[in-house]
Amino acid sequence: MPSIPFLKPANGAKFADRGIKKTGELLTPWDGTAVSGIGVLGIPLSKTSISHSGAHLAPETIRFMMHSLTTYHIGSGQDLWDERIIDFGDINMHVTDLFESQMRIHDTVTHVLHKCPDLVPVFLGGDHSISAGAISAFSQAKGRVGIIQFDAHHDLRNLEDGGPSNGTPFRQLIEKGSIEGNQLVQIGIRDFANGKMYHDYAVEHGVTVYTMDDVRKTGLIAILEESVEKLKMSCVTLYVSLDMDVLDQAYAPGCPAIGPGGMDSGVLIEGMVWLAKNGSVKGMDIVEIDPTLDFRHMTSRLAAYILMQFYTHYNNESFPI
Amino acid sequence: MPSIPFLKPANGAKFADRGIKKTGELLTPWDGTAVSGIGVLGIPLSKTSISHSGAHLAPETIRFMMHSLTTYHIGSGQDLWDERIIDFGDINMHVTDLFESQMRIHDTVTHVLHKCPDLVPVFLGGDHSISAGAISAFSQAKGRVGIIQFDAHHDLRNLEDGGPSNGTPFRQLIEKGSIEGNQLVQIGIRDFANGKMYHDYAVEHGVTVYTMDDVRKTGLIAILEESVEKLKMSCVTLYVSLDMDVLDQAYAPGCPAIGPGGMDSGVLIEGMVWLAKNGSVKGMDIVEIDPTLDFRHMTSRLAAYILMQFYTHYNNESFPI
Amino acid sequence: MPSIPFLKPANGAKFADRGIKKTGELLTPWDGTAVSGIGVLGIPLSKTSISHSGAHLAPETIRFMMHSLTTYHIGSGQDLWDERIIDFGDINMHVTDLFESQMRIHDTVTHVLHKCPDLVPVFLGGDHSISAGAISAFSQAKGRVGIIQFDAHHDLRNLEDGGPSNGTPFRQLIEKGSIEGNQLVQIGIRDFANGKMYHDYAVEHGVTVYTMDDVRKTGLIAILEESVEKLKMSCVTLYVSLDMDVLDQAYAPGCPAIGPGGMDSGVLIEGMVWLAKNGSVKGMDIVEIDPTLDFRHMTSRLAAYILMQFYTHYNNESFPI
Amino acid sequence: MPSIPFLKPANGAKFADRGIKKTGELLTPWDGTAVSGIGVLGIPLSKTSISHSGAHLAPETIRFMMHSLTTYHIGSGQDLWDERIIDFGDINMHVTDLFESQMRIHDTVTHVLHKCPDLVPVFLGGDHSISAGAISAFSQAKGRVGIIQFDAHHDLRNLEDGGPSNGTPFRQLIEKGSIEGNQLVQIGIRDFANGKMYHDYAVEHGVTVYTMDDVRKTGLIAILEESVEKLKMSCVTLYVSLDMDVLDQAYAPGCPAIGPGGMDSGVLIEGMVWLAKNGSVKGMDIVEIDPTLDFRHMTSRLAAYILMQFYTHYNNESFPI
Amino acid sequence: MPSIPFLKPANGAKFADRGIKKTGELLTPWDGTAVSGIGVLGIPLSKTSISHSGAHLAPETIRFMMHSLTTYHIGSGQDLWDERIIDFGDINMHVTDLFESQMRIHDTVTHVLHKCPDLVPVFLGGDHSISAGAISAFSQAKGRVGIIQFDAHHDLRNLEDGGPSNGTPFRQLIEKGSIEGNQLVQIGIRDFANGKMYHDYAVEHGVTVYTMDDVRKTGLIAILEESVEKLKMSCVTLYVSLDMDVLDQAYAPGCPAIGPGGMDSGVLIEGMVWLAKNGSVKGMDIVEIDPTLDFRHMTSRLAAYILMQFYTHYNNESFPI
Amino acid sequence: MPSIPFLKPANGAKFADRGIKKTGELLTPWDGTAVSGIGVLGIPLSKTSISHSGAHLAPETIRFMMHSLTTYHIGSGQDLWDERIIDFGDINMHVTDLFESQMRIHDTVTHVLHKCPDLVPVFLGGDHSISAGAISAFSQAKGRVGIIQFDAHHDLRNLEDGGPSNGTPFRQLIEKGSIEGNQLVQIGIRDFANGKMYHDYAVEHGVTVYTMDDVRKTGLIAILEESVEKLKMSCVTLYVSLDMDVLDQAYAPGCPAIGPGGMDSGVLIEGMVWLAKNGSVKGMDIVEIDPTLDFRHMTSRLAAYILMQFYTHYNNESFPI
Ligand SMILES: [Ca+2]
Ligand SMILES: [Ca+2]
Ligand SMILES: [Ca+2]
Ligand SMILES: [Ca+2]
Ligand SMILES: [Ca+2]
Ligand SMILES: [Ca+2]
Ligand SMILES: [Ca+2]
Ligand SMILES: [Ca+2]
Ligand SMILES: [Ca+2]
Ligand SMILES: [Ca+2]
Ligand SMILES: [Ca+2]
Ligand SMILES: [Ca+2]
């Protein structure tokens, strides 16, 4: 830029304060080298959704909302000012061939994990269909994976009625043999949000299910302790799949499948902080935010906040598995 | 429909999953026989509201939101798949003669209860004015009724200033001698939401009043235990009148009279489940949702969810009165 | 329904006036027999859109807006009260396999035209991708077809970059040999809305192109006269493909690709009336309305109005080809 | 107000410019004396509407939008700075007794015209139902009245199906003998917006009907010349009833019954200016604006603008009847 | 107003109930005398905000929402019917000279407190920038002031990067020597909402900081007890600066800087009631509500409710300092 | 970016078509050299507005809407694919010192025109206040300038009541002697949108004023011919100041001061094309779009479209002065 005073690049920040840096500024495009630690990768696919969904826009809005958060975590006293969060960009989706899109997810995640064996990827969906390809590739790269799925729904629907959609990712993983049912823990499953046939499927395949009633009675932290302990007995790594609709509609108004009877955001944040401190989680996705339905990007804001809390409390060294 | 593959009726469901049935599909038009158990009846009247209200649209949206809930109640393991919920349709309201409309409510409820003595009707308002006619007819059919009213407001306004409106239903019932004050328990009455004159009226007539402060200090379940016990001493049946504005504005953004300082949705759901399990309640209304003001039909969603939780936990045999 | 006074079916009309019937009520589900004249068929596909589109919801909203129009056409004195408009319902789209969905369009239209040789189908999109299958099937059934496309865009994009989408239907038809370029007249093509490469393609393939400048200078009726005369020299039937974004954004605020510099709704209505009176058109589609973006369903209202004007002025006997 | 600098009354104008006065400031509460010329009177009734309507809020928004217009009419060079427009306030509507409300309209207009024989009242609705009482009282006070109704609809529905509503005002006037059909000219009647039964009623009763087709072909000014000349042959005064839905939906997005195929705002403004200059009109109403449906109060803005254009061009002296 | 029945002034209340009075009606324009107790003063300035803000509209909406609250406080049995709350109106802001606007705040508050030494002013912002002038004037009039700031943010940004803005009020007060750091207690400071540089500044200057983590762990009442006790050791009066964004986004959706991880409204209300009962607070501001971003004025409703709870529980006699 | 297939940079274009380029992609950051022809410069200032305005966001949205337009101008057959439009970025505005901001505008424009003597700058506002500094600097650099102002308003308010605001730019220019009144032609001035005092000021200072009545009667092209001829007699260069509120509210719903009675977009586009072809205009601004008020960025879309039509038809060689 030329040296004319007061001229700044188009669309740049409107105001700069020397004492403030936004977490969005920590995002650094990947240079192709073998980076480690937490990095983000957008998977903007939502044509796979059963209902009309704009969730493919969420990688953009979550990054945008990272620009509303500063780098300073007052709770722990950490300033992330000098950190960088590697941003792998987005996977390019095909306009009309959704199977091609699914394949691109699997292939791209495989490539990335191959180049970056110590990466802790956070996949920004997209709808929940993206977890099938992402977890399948993650599992091939990392070994037997224990999955903690926060969700109001089982996502174990049959594959005949609509093909691989946002209602089927964990069914796909089980059917293809990518995981066994006992590698999966589902937390926050809600009344009137699932078919009995799919709960039966979960039970038959050894999936562990905690309903919202369980969360209210037992407490999320106790459930997580139990779950991590159990999963670590048979798995070499953990993965969190966070469907934002596990939250009550008052806290996540921008999910396609909002509803009452869900989790408070405070409880979820506390749980994610616990998981981060535990250190066993080596991959994550955040899915099912439709920015076209949200109010003031509240749900994307919350996703960015959860991502940054997780990042801040995450401690590679403590990895206990 | 002819046998051309892929053709389906206009406006039909966009996607069918063999393992999923929606509670909206349980709704079955009444065939005129003497049905029993829980059935719904829409009362689309809101021109009686003091402030501008689209609450007459709520029967439609609550039914529509029942199509967003599946039949499977994971908490209890019950699947309602094979149940049917009788839908009596809506009472036809007069365009301009609101007194005629009120009379139609009374007459229709009377007719229905006469034909179906074992029906447990759930009236979908409409504004709160509909409770006057509904309870009056209910009481004539069923005997002395104890009423549990969830509401931020007394609804005991004088009848001179605006006629029988959504601010007066319980005053009307008392003035006409349909009920005595001690048959009424009001729960969730809020600061700055009522006139002292009407609280005085409540006290003078022996109405039991629990404020939101009481709910926060004593707990809703304890209040309900106390209330049911007391009402059952003098009444032969119970009726719940659920004004959704008893909830805090964060949980019920679509009520005409939203405000802060109200109940959490989790507390209300727990209370309604307790009432269902108790089994004494033999009639109910859900009122004061204006779908034109709501955000993503959140308040209608919540109403549908509460209705289904009540339905699922309701146990006719246990009726103890 | 039982004979209780004032009870009406759930979700029924709120008010009935003996002198008013809505055009929506004329819609009559197809009974599988060989009906003739104008009939509607919904094609709710929009996952094929390049940009995020809810156009698959338009068949539902156009039908709904037909319920805001009465049967009486005061201009001609005709009352359609006793008419019926056959509604073939919607083609069931696959959740994830968009090629399957495209195939279903072609097959279903073929079936329908086979059963009803004298049908004048009006296809309610959906995005513009649906025209490829619809016209291909129409052409196979009816013979060489002349197409009048109202559109801001050529829709002649290459098929490599995104597959068969809402930017490619007429390219597909030409590439597959379903039509030759000289069977196609495009009206309303706009500045800054197309690539030169695709205009060149149009010119090379003998497509006739009238820009918005042409419409403003020459007048739409003159252009239509010229076009129909020309097409009838080589074709045995005509088809209108109406992309609502041919209209200026002030008149069609609910199209995905809104913009300034477009046609006034009055001009388009007049043109469609002229086409109806001419009687040569034997098939039509109305596409590219996204009800989630619209203001008060204005664009669907307009589509329903155009459909009914076309219907009213349409005169089978006068068919001159 | 005390003399502390910079303190101004709560809710006052945010900024004052010495060269600008708003037409809203011309509104002067009536002092009970016999004022003459144009004055406004709000009639906030819309519970009489067949469909859900917030038109009772329009008197407030039209006045509010008068605060967005300055007093200076550059076209004629007139500055209204020193004028005052008498504001009679609003008629108090009953909450539940709509017949009482209708009676209050008739009585209040009668009282006002009795006290102010030279008043040219402009009634701000409200829905169109208010015209029945207003015109009936106007006619009794002023003598045989010729009515020019701008409307997409006849408003001649039968009175049995819903009572006196916004679909019936002119039917009521004719049935009660307040007017004969030949005193009524309807301009802008639209296709698919009326029942044939009611057009037949118009024809049978000698009502003059100009459709939107007539307006487009003949021009509004020519129609008005014809109409005023004809009405003045049998009537001693004229009244304009302006239903804003005579306009196309692009220009009046806030009417309950919006639709395409209507009048441009420029044409209507020109017509109203012509009527004002003519000077024969001695009363008017502006109805059917629902501010809860509008975009940025566009329709109320337009109503305020039309009112002020009428006011500015109105010339008492030229009254020719 | 003349004695015509049913005529009421324009824009007046739509419905009057003899038993209901709204707290908005308690607002009484200041007559210039030395009033005491709680009074409100609007400071409609938000051009000083770093991000685009309509917070200058909040004095109007908070007063408007006071018209949605009745005078009866059922919790304490008090009816405020006969009270009056002095309304000093709004400070007139300059259109373009924001430094002039800031000076007007300081001067006007000084004037008002000089005329009314026993006033307990509640300043209705505006953005948080208004607290600098208000507290500076308050402190000069009342003596050394202890400040309890509810806020997600420190508001201690440097003054070089953007001048005195809504990010700097407490920095300004410290830099100008109006207060020392130990006079300030900040409650509710949030992760990712501040720069470390500004937390360091707080620590260096002896500001007491309670984060949201502290609030969740220790409880707000305990923090307030500790804070008031500490501040009273060195200060002669207390002032509350309530930035509504201390609340979680689910409860205060209308703040410019919404976010997750904040306070529940129930906790804040309880804290404000405690402060009112304590009686030490002698001044207050409520800031950072942007009505153009809110949903159904929820945040202004909550502000009005908090104001009235504070007013009701406030007990001058108990003032212990 | 590394060579992993399907990975693309974050926030990149979602879909690329080889035959389509967007005009937004033509924008090329200035490299500091002496560029010529049309270039854009954002001036994001709107705190200077009398009413609350988000017009400072318009440079961003206009550029964003340039990404909705393709490079191909079918009317003239020109493809701008290989052109570049120099983008000077935005002038950095001060958060609180609006006079400093105004000064920055003047200085920056001066610097830019000094470095690029053959530049034809298009300034993207911001509110209309930015024209004062921009034209003053433009005039100093280029010589006596004739100004064609499209506007509903004179913008000649006094400077005492609110300082230099969006209501005063041309008054400021005249008062400071930057221009004489006869250098200014105002087109589209509207009834009830101005104070007589300011029209008088215009007349006294020799400003040429064409009202909307004039535009409707005489036609815009005739007015422009007259204006350009007249201005060229005394000026060496021309400048267009385009306030988008010259348009009717139906076409420019996103201006702060919308209203009826304005210009059709088609007329304005035709006028701007004429001006471009004429070639005399050497500078321009586009102001008064508030993207927070708009519907689907319609007004910014229109601004981008007008800018590109102007660009395409602009012919340096023909410069006739
Ligand atoms: Ca899921
Ligand atoms: Ca889910
Ligand atoms: Ca109630
Ligand atoms: Ca209530
Ligand atoms: Ca198209
Ligand atoms: Ca198109
Ligand atoms: Ca009418
Ligand atoms: Ca009408
Ligand atoms: Ca603050
Ligand atoms: Ca803050
Ligand atoms: Ca201007
Ligand atoms: Ca202007």
Side-chain angles (χ1 to χ4, degrees), chain F residues 6 24 61 85 115 119 134 163 231 272 311:
Chain F
F6 308 129
T61 52
I85 303 175
K115 292 228 175 183
L119 180 72
L231 287 171
M272 293 301 291
Y311 181 94

Side-chain angles (χ1 to χ4, degrees), chain A residues 17-18 70 72 75 296 298 309, chain E residues 161 192 194 198-199 253 255:
Chain A
D17 177 310
R18 69 194 68 178
T70 67
Y72 184 53
R296 296 190 67 198
M298 273 192 183
Q309 287 285 3
Chain E
D161 290 327
F192 307 126
N194 296 278
Y198 302 125
H199 185 228
C255 292

Side-chain angles (χ1 to χ4, degrees), chain B residues 10-12 14 64, chain C residues 44 56-66 90 124-125 291 300:
Chain B
N11 299 337
K14 272 158 205 69
F64 183 51
Chain C
H56 64 290
L57 301 167
E60 198 171 329
T61 52
I62 296 171
R63 286 187 187 102
F64 183 51
M65 285 302 110
M66 288 178 71
D90 291 339
L124 307 177
S300 295

Side-chain angles (χ1 to χ4, degrees), chain A residues 141-212:
Chain A
K142 301 273 189 177
R144 186 174 173 91
V145 59
I147 302 163
I148 294 172
Q149 173 194 356
F150 291 97
D151 206 330
H153 311 91
H154 286 302
D155 289 358
L156 294 167
R157 291 173 182 240
N158 77 78
L159 291 154
E160 288 73 34
D161 289 327
S165 71
N166 66 334
T168 65
F170 300 99
R171 177 82 165 241
Q172 289 166 253
L173 288 166
I174 290 170
E175 307 277 293
K176 287 192 311 177
S178 298
I179 63 167
E180 290 178 297
N182 64 8
Q183 289 171 256
L184 180 60
V185 175
Q186 302 187 315
I187 300 175
I189 304 298
R190 221 178 288 178
D191 293 338
F192 307 126
N194 296 278
K196 179 172 187 304
M197 181 187 288
Y198 303 125
H199 185 229
D200 292 348
Y201 183 95
V203 171
E204 286 158 19
H205 288 75
V207 176
T208 307
V209 176
Y210 295 99
T211 67
M212 271 312 300

Side-chain angles (χ1 to χ4, degrees), chain C residues 15-20 23 68-80 250-251 265 269 295-299 301-302 305 308-309 312, chain D residues 50 154 157-158 160-162 189-199 209 211 213 248-251 253-256 258 260-261 293-295:
Chain C
F15 170 69
D17 177 310
R18 70 194 68 179
I20 299 281
T23 61
S68 75
L69 302 177
T70 68
T71 57
Y72 183 52
H73 185 272
I74 199 168
S76 66
Q78 285 182 72
D79 194 347
L80 311 176
Y251 294 98
S265 61
I269 293 167
F295 185 75
R296 297 191 66 199
H297 287 326
M298 273 191 184
T299 316
R301 270 175 217 271
L302 181 49
Y305 184 87
M308 289 316 302
Q309 287 286 2
T312 306
Chain D
I50 294 169
H154 286 302
R157 291 173 182 239
N158 77 78
E160 288 73 34
D161 289 327
I189 305 298
R190 222 178 288 176
D191 293 338
F192 307 125
N194 297 278
K196 180 173 187 302
M197 181 187 288
Y198 303 124
H199 185 228
V209 176
T211 67
D213 274 354
D248 192 88
Q249 60 186 3
Y251 294 98
C255 292
I258 57 168
L293 298 177
D294 212 351
F295 186 75

Side-chain angles (χ1 to χ4, degrees), chain B residues 13 24 45 50 97 127 136 144 146 150 159 192 216 222 248 287:
Chain B
L45 179 65
I50 295 169
D97 190 337
D127 65 30
S136 154
R144 188 175 172 89
F150 290 97
L159 291 154
F192 307 126
R216 276 185 285 264
D248 192 88
V287 298

